[in-house]
Each structure stands twice: as structure tokens, then as C-alpha cells.
Amino acid sequence: MPSDQASVQPATSSVDFEKVGSDYFQQRELKKGAAGWVLLVGLGVAYVISGDYAGWNFGLAQGGWGGMFLATLLMATMYLCMCFSLAELSSMIPTAGGGYGFARSAFGPWGGFLTGTAILIEYAIAPAAIAVFIGAYCESLFGIGGWMIYLAFYIIFIAIHIFGVGEALKLMFVITAIAALALGVFLVSMVPHFDVANLLDIPVTDAKGASSFLPFGYVGVWAAIPYAIWFFLAVEGVPLAAEETKNPKRDLPRGLIGAMLVLVSFALLILVIGPGGAGANALLTSGNPLVEALSKAYGGSTWMGHFVNLVGLAGLIASFFSIIYAYSRQIFALSRAGYLPRKLSETNKSKAPVLALIIPGIIGFGLSLTGQGDLLILVAVFGATISYVLMMAAHITLRIRRPKMDRPYRTPGGIFTSGVALVLACIAVVAGFLVDPRVVIGAAIIYGVLIAYFAFYSRHHLVAGTPEEEFAAIQNAEKALH
């Protein structure tokens, strides 16, 4: 950690840095070496696996099966290209800031803040959407849902994270493995009932380009994109574990790419076999589509349905649990650097940032009370896609401006790969407006409030000597020598 003798970084025309003592960083330390690359693969899958259990099916109502299938192919391409790009960035800049650190290095404090807060919107809102789906599964299983379930899950899993990251990540890994097993049971159970005609049973509308493959026309492909993203949303959070990883330069690329390959496989299998066995029209609005699919295929309740319902809850819990980890690390990094109130980054004896866990949990619980899981997905996707645009722009910028930087892992295809992800991310930003522009505008207003906080206050009170700022200072010094 930086010492209290570290010099204050010079103010630029837009930001000011303040010197802090070594005790500041001692109160803001994470647990080192808690995760290897296998655990990181598990973390990446855990972030996302709830998307296989619920939420993706709303895309069928926007684009039909064909529209959702094409949207999923496009978003799988975007995420694969993005993960290859982030693998390079995370090996270069292994800090808890993740995307914020990458953009900070490429574009300075403003770029870092805009990226970090976009990621924060994604991670703070996604657990609220997942809580709604958890409530639907609990209602189906136990006859109890609603606010009591949302509150119980927030309290229990925030408490586990406060206890310690090593224990939390290991528990998450076990839960994720169980959830993946249930997906396997679902797929094997649905294969005998697969019929191509079931994929195309949504009534055709009079939209332009409408057909049995695209019942809502060409625009349906675009409108389905936010829900195709739900198959992969948050896998980019793996680099947030950088400061708690044994060998980040090696393990982060392995964790990112390994997790993404697993997720692409699950997404395509679920999207083809689920509606192909039960009928796409039967799953349009379901809160627990896998259980609904089994019930439809087998003509009622079965042991497989009960098993997938029960263990499917584990899949939702895995994502809920791990994204809580992600938002706390994003807040920790932004707060430690002074972009957000500094109190949020203080850690306890277990090296867990307590307030960074609790405060977004309170906000998320409040949002979950709306019960609108599909609309909360739109808000999370808005933050995510803004951050994707900025992170891919950061990859391209650093490749062009800083070609000699040490890159332990290099993206296959270089800036062509990140360029593909950038173009697709720009398309995805606009897609949410096709579903419900009011929700996306509301998310943009929240983003604007955070930007105003930085513009009027925190940019004048940034902290010198944080890992992200130290890295930027080293870059500037090296640049001056050339």
C-alpha cells in the first residue's frame, strides 16, 4: 500500500488530489489471496447463472423465439469479445476498481468515474431484479413470496459477506455447482419433448418483417437484446476480485474466459431446448420459466419440476450472492479513491467493506418492492451497456496510446476484437428504449445525479496514492520519458 510519504498527485484542470496517511489505507484493506482461477470461473458463472433460470424469457415477448435467438447470438459475440479484451486489461491493471481502473488509466478521473458509476448502477439494481425472481420461486415452492422473502435474503447474504470474503466465495462456488447440476437435469429432461414447431408457436403480428421465426418483425430482434444480455450480465465483474486473487495477472484472464465459455454453452442450450420442449408462447411472462417448461412438457407436476424449482432457487441465490460481492467491491474502490464518500470503503476485521455492502442492499430492497423484475433488468442493462462502451474504448485507447505497456495477456485480434464489442455495446445501449423508454430515462436521471455529485464535490477531494491513481501516475511518468 502507498505510504503516508507518497507525494500528492498534481491537480489537473478538472480534479484535485488530497494526501492521506498510511492509516487511511490500513482501514481499507481487502483479504489477499482468497481466490484462485478456478474460484474465479465459479464467481463469473455465479454472477450470471440466475439469468438461465429467469428473466431471459421476457425476450420471447419482445422478439419471439427467432428474435431472441438472434439477439442472443449477437450478445454472446459481444461478451466473448469483451471478455477477451477485459482479460488483457485486468492482467495490466489488477485492482479492485475493475472497469473503473481501466477507464481511469485510459481517460483520466472523469472516464474512471463515468465507468465506475455505470457499473455500480448495474450491480446495485441487478440483485433487486433477482430478489423478485427468488420471490417467485419461493412462492411456487413454499407458498410464501413478496417483501418478507426479499428482506430475508438481503439480510442473510449481506451478513455472510460481512463475515469474510474467503468463506463467502467458497460457499458461492458450492451453490453455483449445485445450480449448474440442476440446469443439466432440466436439459436432459426436456430433450425428449423437443420439437422445432414449439419454437415458432408465438402468433405472428403485422409488424414489418414479421414471420413465424420473427413474429414481432425485425425490430423484435433489437427489443430482445436487453433480455439476451441477461444471459451474460455481470460476468465482467470477475476483475473486481483482483486484489483478493492469488495471482491476478494469470488468474483473472483464466477466470473471465473460462466463465464466459460455460455461460455461452448454457445460454444456447437453455434457449433452444426449453422453448423447444414446452413451446415459446408458454414461457413469455413466466417468473420461473424452467419449472413452467417442465410442467408444460410433462402435463403437470413431476419430481424433475420440484427438483429444478428447488435447486433453481440455488441458481438465483448464487447470482444474488455474488453480485452483492461485486457491488461492494466497486463501491469500495470508488470510495477509497474519493469518488464516493470515503466512509463507504472502511473494512472490518474480516476485511469486508461493511457500509459498501449494507447501503446498496437497502436501496436494492426498496426497489425489489416494485415486483417489476423485467423493468429492473432494463435499468441494470442500461448501466452495464454504458460501462461496456467505455471499457472497450479504454482497451482501444491504451492499445493505440500505450503500445509498450506490459500486457501479461494479449487479446486475440487486438483492437478489432474490442471494436466489435464496442459497436455491439452501442447497439445494446439503444435497445432498452425500444422496450420501455421511461425506465431507461429514469436510469439516466440516476446516472446524472451521480455525475453531478462528482462534478460539484468529489472531483475536488480525490485521494492520492490509491492503486488506480498510483498506476496512472506511473503511466504518466513513463510517458514523459519517451
Side-chain angles (χ1 to χ4, degrees):
M1 273 298 164
S3 70
D4 58 354
Q5 299 303 313
S7 61
V8 179
Q9 296 188 33
T12 69
S13 59
S14 62
V15 300
D16 302 295
F17 289 93
E18 297 176 357
K19 181 179 178 180
V20 296
S22 59
D23 59 328
Y24 177 87
F25 295 105
Q26 289 170 1
Q27 295 168 355
R28 292 163 173 82
E29 292 181 342
L30 299 173
K31 188 174 181 179
K32 309 298 181 185
W37 74 269
V38 174
L39 208 57
L40 291 178
V41 171
L43 178 63
V45 174
Y47 281 146
V48 188
I49 199 167
S50 66
D52 293 313
Y53 280 95
W56 62 269
N57 54 300
F58 297 130
L60 299 173
Q62 298 296 327
W65 184 84
M68 183 61 180
F69 179 70
L70 293 177
T72 300
L73 290 180
L74 287 171
M75 292 303 97
T77 301
M78 181 187 78
Y79 273 92
L80 279 168
C81 291
M82 185 172 71
C83 283
F84 282 124
S85 304
L86 293 179
E88 176 176 301
L89 291 169
S90 64
S91 73
M92 295 162 55
I93 311 168
T95 70
Y100 139 64
F102 309 152
R104 169 67 183 88
S105 295
F107 305 122
W110 268 100
F113 180 82
L114 291 172
T115 305
T117 47
I119 294 170
L120 183 55
I121 289 172
E122 170 192 357
Y123 289 157
I125 302 301
I130 297 169
V132 173
F133 301 137
I134 288 174
Y137 269 71
C138 287
E139 184 77 40
S140 177
L141 275 170
F142 313 117
I144 303 173
W147 72 268
M148 291 183 293
I149 294 297
Y150 309 156
L151 181 61
F153 275 85
Y154 266 108
I155 290 174
I156 291 169
F157 290 109
I158 287 174
I160 293 172
H161 278 295
I162 290 173
F163 182 69
V165 65
E167 294 76 8
L169 290 180
K170 289 170 185 173
L171 177 58
M172 172 278 304
F173 191 84
V174 172
I175 295 172
T176 304
I178 295 171
L181 173 65
L183 289 180
V185 170
F186 169 78
L187 292 169
V188 170
S189 301
M190 292 299 292
V191 165
H193 298 271
F194 179 82
D195 187 335
V196 172
N198 288 336
L199 300 173
L200 311 176
D201 67 348
I202 295 175
V204 179
T205 68
D206 57 1
K208 187 173 182 179
S211 64
S212 59
F213 184 70
L214 296 174
F216 302 103
Y218 302 130
V219 74
V221 179
W222 204 348
I225 281 176
Y227 301 104
I229 286 175
W230 195 242
F231 271 132
F232 313 108
L233 184 85
V235 67
E236 75 280 0
V238 170
L240 294 170
E243 293 181 31
E244 295 153 286
T245 300
K246 293 175 183 177
N247 186 342
K249 292 184 178 182
R250 180 198 68 188
D251 293 341
L252 290 173
R254 289 183 179 181
L256 263 169
I257 296 167
M260 191 58 208
L261 293 175
V262 172
L263 292 167
V264 169
S265 301
F266 274 142
L268 294 176
L269 287 169
I270 292 291
L271 181 57
V272 171
I273 294 177
N281 200 40
L283 307 181
L284 292 178
T285 60
S286 175
N288 52 355
L290 303 196
V291 177
E292 190 82 26
L294 285 167
S295 178
K296 180 78 172 177
Y298 284 88
S301 179
T302 65
W303 73 266
M304 292 168 290
H306 289 302
F307 177 75
V308 170
N309 201 357
L310 181 61
V311 183
L313 190 57
L316 295 169
I317 290 170
S319 292
F320 183 78
F321 190 30
S322 54
I323 297 177
I324 286 174
Y325 168 84
Y327 76 55
S328 70
R329 270 44 182 183
Q330 188 66 76
I331 291 174
F332 169 84
L334 290 168
S335 166
R336 181 178 61 181
Y339 292 84
L340 295 178
R342 298 178 187 178
K343 193 75 175 174
L344 294 173
S345 55
E346 291 184 2
T347 53
N348 62 7
K349 292 180 180 179
S350 299
K351 306 299 182 186
V354 177
L355 290 178
L357 286 161
I358 292 174
I359 291 176
I362 294 171
I363 295 170
F365 169 68
L367 290 171
S368 71
L369 297 178
T370 65
Q372 300 294 313
D374 55 339
L375 299 184
L376 290 171
I377 287 175
L378 287 182
V379 179
V381 166
F382 170 80
T385 51
I386 293 291
S387 74
Y388 299 165
V389 169
L390 292 167
M391 287 190 293
M392 293 304 94
H395 180 271
I396 293 168
T397 299
L398 290 174
R399 272 292 185 104
I400 294 171
R401 293 183 182 174
R402 305 291 292 157
K404 295 183 179 180
M405 284 180 66
D406 180 37
R407 290 172 167 82
Y409 174 88
R410 296 184 70 87
T411 302
I415 62 174
F416 173 79
T417 300
S418 50
V420 170
L422 175 60
V423 170
L424 290 172
C426 289
I427 292 171
V429 169
V430 180
F433 287 93
L434 298 176
V435 181
D436 194 326
R438 295 170 302 169
V439 173
V440 180
I441 291 169
I445 291 171
I446 295 170
Y447 194 33
V449 170
L450 291 169
I451 292 170
Y453 172 79
F454 181 68
F456 292 107
Y457 179 77
S458 67
R459 70 186 177 95
H460 299 299
H461 301 278
L462 301 184
V463 176
T466 64
E468 294 82 9
E469 301 302 335
E470 288 285 281
F471 189 88
I474 292 169
Q475 278 187 284
N476 291 333
E478 290 176 347
K479 187 176 181 180
L481 292 175
H482 291 85

